[in-house]
Amino acid sequence: MKIEKIKGFRDHYPEDMEVRNYFFKKITNAAENFGYQLIDFPSLEPLDLYRLKSGTELVSQTFSFTDKGGREVTMIPEATPSTVRLLAARKDLPRPVRWYSFPKVWRYEEPQEGRFREHYQFNADMFGLDSEESDAEIVGLASNILDYLGLSGIYEININDRFLMEYILKDLGIENIPDAFSIIDKYKKIDRNSFVEAFKTVGAEGDEIKKILSLLNEKVDTGNLERKVKKVVKNYEEIKPRIERIKKTFDLIGLYTESPINYDFSIVRGLSYYTGMVFEAFDVKGELRAILGGGRYDDLSKLFTTDRIPAVGFAIGDAVIELLLKRQNLWMKRNIKKSYYICNLSSVDEDYIIKIASRIRSLNKIAIVDMTHRKISSQMKSASGFDFAIIIGEREFEENTLTVKNMKTSQQSIMGYDDFLLQLRGDD
């Protein structure tokens, strides 16, 4: 019987993981430079954690089941609820709290380019502040990560505000806000007629739908935001303070990145717990799904505590970012550590060879000892992918020396053991 991997899941061989880990480390390094600290949590959580706040669409996509104790549980489809659960359990933490995580998550979605049923997801969250500065920092971190990966100028950030959108919808007489947001979230995925018919189901009439469409049909800068909102609401002065907050947030984000920042009324994000700013990043050519997304979710903490803990964060899935990096010819092997392949031609005691390999490794470099006892030509072929080949035979063993070949330049020299160690340390 042939057993294959399950649809929507991926295998990662060493050559894949080497490149993947390089970029994962760059992402986490950028987060740590902003003062974010690593956390982790279980891969299995109670289904109610998502049923209560994430929305029915997400719950329908979970890999959930009833365990042997009769509990409804699920493989985590996202990280935010678990992160908030950890935060609520620790009242001793000085705020603001800056955390990041990098778990695997699972969603039963239809696999397609840039989307799998299992993927790695980087998450960054700040807790304890509700301000323009904290909103700008989280978007700034997201853009800094993309710039750090070499994508500067390749992406744009589109931002909206759920608080503002809810005000506009209610001002237009629409009370079923969750369903209205769900329809707006599909604006770019369905045709205009389908959108209009769907919006009628939340009680909108022709004039209201026209006003909504006038907001959704183009991205604007903050200079035009005020003009757009004035055309659709009855009392602009009531919402003006929110507009001013958005403008200030945009100004601060501009200090973090030179990439385009747009105001886009169609960005509402699919999860129901967002309460304020929401944002997504896309490639400027518009060829791929969202690279990352996030926003403010100040009420999610009430699932676990009576305290309202302001929160803002975002997530990056590995699938789309990998596609974009490959299209930019950036997804390639990087030799971060120097590597040494030790060709063993000696028939005597192997203590000397193992001692050399151990000293190389102690200096945080890669060392592999050939254990096959093949001819030198075969061993050197195996060494071709390394930075250096070290050849040790009877002569080297007797004279306490090494023959070292640079596999990039083909230069070869005989070195004493102590001289070799000095060179190793000098490479750091």
Side-chain angles (χ1 to χ4, degrees):
M1 179 177 67
K2 184 179 181 181
I3 299 177
E4 298 181 347
K5 72 177 187 299
I6 300 172
K7 181 182 179 182
F9 290 72
R10 295 171 291 172
D11 294 321
H12 299 297
Y13 289 94
E15 60 268 25
D16 304 318
M17 290 306 299
E18 187 172 2
V19 183
R20 184 176 300 277
N21 282 339
Y22 170 79
F23 284 103
F24 284 4
K25 287 176 183 176
K26 286 185 77 74
I27 291 171
T28 58
N29 186 60
E32 289 169 0
N33 288 347
F34 272 67
Y36 287 69
Q37 297 176 297
L38 177 64
I39 61 166
D40 197 14
F41 34 78
S43 297
L44 198 68
E45 290 276 20
L47 183 59
D48 280 343
L49 187 59
Y50 306 93
R51 183 182 282 133
L52 293 173
K53 278 293 182 180
S54 294
T56 56
E57 183 176 359
L58 178 64
V59 172
S60 69
Q61 296 170 347
T62 57
F63 282 85
S64 54
F65 57 95
T66 302
D67 70 6
K68 292 182 180 180
R71 297 170 290 248
E72 285 187 293
V73 296
T74 184
M75 304 298 290
I76 59 170
E78 56 154 331
T80 305
S82 296
T83 304
V84 176
R85 180 178 59 74
L86 262 69
L87 181 79
R90 290 284 303 277
K91 298 186 183 298
D92 60 312
L93 296 171
R95 298 175 186 170
V97 172
R98 292 174 171 89
W99 283 348
Y100 79 87
S101 60
F102 218 142
K104 273 188 175 182
V105 297
W106 294 266
R107 292 191 189 184
Y108 198 91
E109 299 179 292
E110 187 58 36
Q112 55 184 272
E113 186 180 47
R115 176 184 289 171
F116 298 94
R117 291 174 176 172
E118 176 190 64
H119 66 272
Y120 292 95
Q121 181 178 284
F122 170 82
N123 310 271
D125 299 272
M126 184 196 297
F127 300 97
L129 290 178
D130 179 8
S131 65
E132 299 93 329
E133 290 82 3
S134 55
D135 285 352
E137 180 181 294
I138 208 73
V139 179
L141 172 56
S143 62
N144 189 264
I145 287 172
L146 297 181
D147 292 342
Y148 195 35
L149 294 177
L151 296 172
S152 181
I154 308 300
Y155 68 92
E156 63 181 9
I157 297 174
N158 299 330
I159 300 175
N160 194 9
D161 188 292
R162 292 259 295 224
F163 184 94
L164 174 61
M165 284 300 292
E166 183 169 344
Y167 177 88
I168 291 172
L169 290 171
K170 287 182 176 179
D171 191 71
L172 294 175
I174 299 167
E175 296 296 332
N176 191 344
I177 304 300
D179 284 358
F181 277 156
S182 180
I183 297 166
I184 292 171
D185 190 46
K186 298 180 175 66
Y187 172 71
K188 294 177 181 176
K189 304 169 188 174
I190 59 178
D191 61 68
R192 184 186 178 95
N193 288 336
S194 297
F195 178 86
V196 169
E197 292 304 312
F199 227 81
K200 289 178 180 178
T201 65
V202 296
E205 302 293 338
D207 287 343
E208 289 81 13
I209 294 174
K210 284 181 181 179
K211 288 180 178 180
I212 291 295
L213 286 171
S214 72
L215 296 176
L216 304 181
N217 64 8
E218 64 176 344
K219 292 176 283 191
V220 298
D221 55 34
T222 52
N224 289 315
L225 176 61
E226 183 176 356
R227 176 182 57 82
K228 295 276 282 189
V229 174
K230 280 182 175 179
K231 286 186 175 181
V232 296
V233 300
K234 300 179 183 70
N235 184 2
Y236 175 76
E237 291 302 315
E238 191 173 34
I239 198 63
K240 184 177 180 179
R242 194 70 183 186
I243 302 294
E244 295 303 319
R245 170 170 175 157
I246 293 167
K247 287 181 177 181
K248 183 178 178 182
T249 301
F250 267 66
D251 289 342
L252 292 172
I253 293 170
L255 301 176
Y256 288 96
T257 180
E258 296 180 358
S259 291
I261 310 167
N262 310 301
Y263 198 90
D264 187 341
F265 287 95
S266 70
I267 301 294
V268 293
R269 306 284 292 149
L271 300 174
S272 60
Y273 51 64
Y274 287 115
T275 58
M277 177 196 71
V278 286
F279 66 97
E280 294 179 348
F282 294 87
D283 64 294
V284 291
K285 293 182 179 179
E287 296 174 343
L288 301 173
R289 299 172 62 239
I291 304 167
L292 58 83
R296 177 161 289 281
Y297 53 97
D298 293 336
D299 295 332
L300 192 56
S301 59
K302 292 180 181 179
L303 283 177
F304 311 100
T305 177
T306 55
D307 297 335
R308 181 180 184 270
I309 305 175
V312 63
F314 71 93
I316 305 175
D318 69 313
V320 175
I321 199 75
E322 179 179 335
L323 273 176
L324 186 54
L325 288 165
K326 285 179 176 177
R327 292 188 182 192
Q328 298 301 314
N329 296 315
L330 295 171
W331 189 264
M332 60 187 70
K333 179 180 177 181
R334 264 79 168 184
N335 291 323
I336 303 171
K337 295 182 179 181
K338 290 283 180 66
S339 56
Y340 296 79
Y341 193 91
I342 303 175
C343 300
N344 179 10
L345 305 179
S346 175
S347 59
V348 294
D349 193 279
E350 294 182 336
D351 288 0
Y352 183 54
I353 293 171
I354 293 174
K355 181 176 74 171
I356 292 169
S358 296
R359 292 307 299 270
I360 293 171
R361 293 167 186 150
S362 72
L363 294 170
N364 196 33
K365 303 177 193 299
I366 298 168
I368 288 182
V369 177
D370 193 293
M371 302 177 181
T372 63
H373 304 291
R374 296 171 296 173
K375 294 179 180 180
I376 182 62
S377 59
S378 297
Q379 294 191 40
M380 290 299 290
K381 186 175 181 180
S382 296
S384 62
F386 289 69
D387 295 314
F388 298 93
I390 297 175
I391 303 167
I392 300 176
E394 302 289 348
R395 184 187 65 183
E396 286 83 3
F397 178 78
E398 292 172 0
E399 298 177 357
N400 201 37
T401 60
L402 311 85
T403 299
V404 181
K405 181 175 182 178
N406 186 316
M407 301 304 290
K408 303 294 190 294
T409 66
S410 296
Q411 290 181 333
Q412 183 169 305
S413 60
I414 298 174
M415 304 178 66
Y417 176 72
D418 291 336
D419 291 336
F420 174 69
L421 291 183
L422 284 174
Q423 179 178 296
L424 273 181
R425 294 190 183 100
D427 287 342
D428 290 337

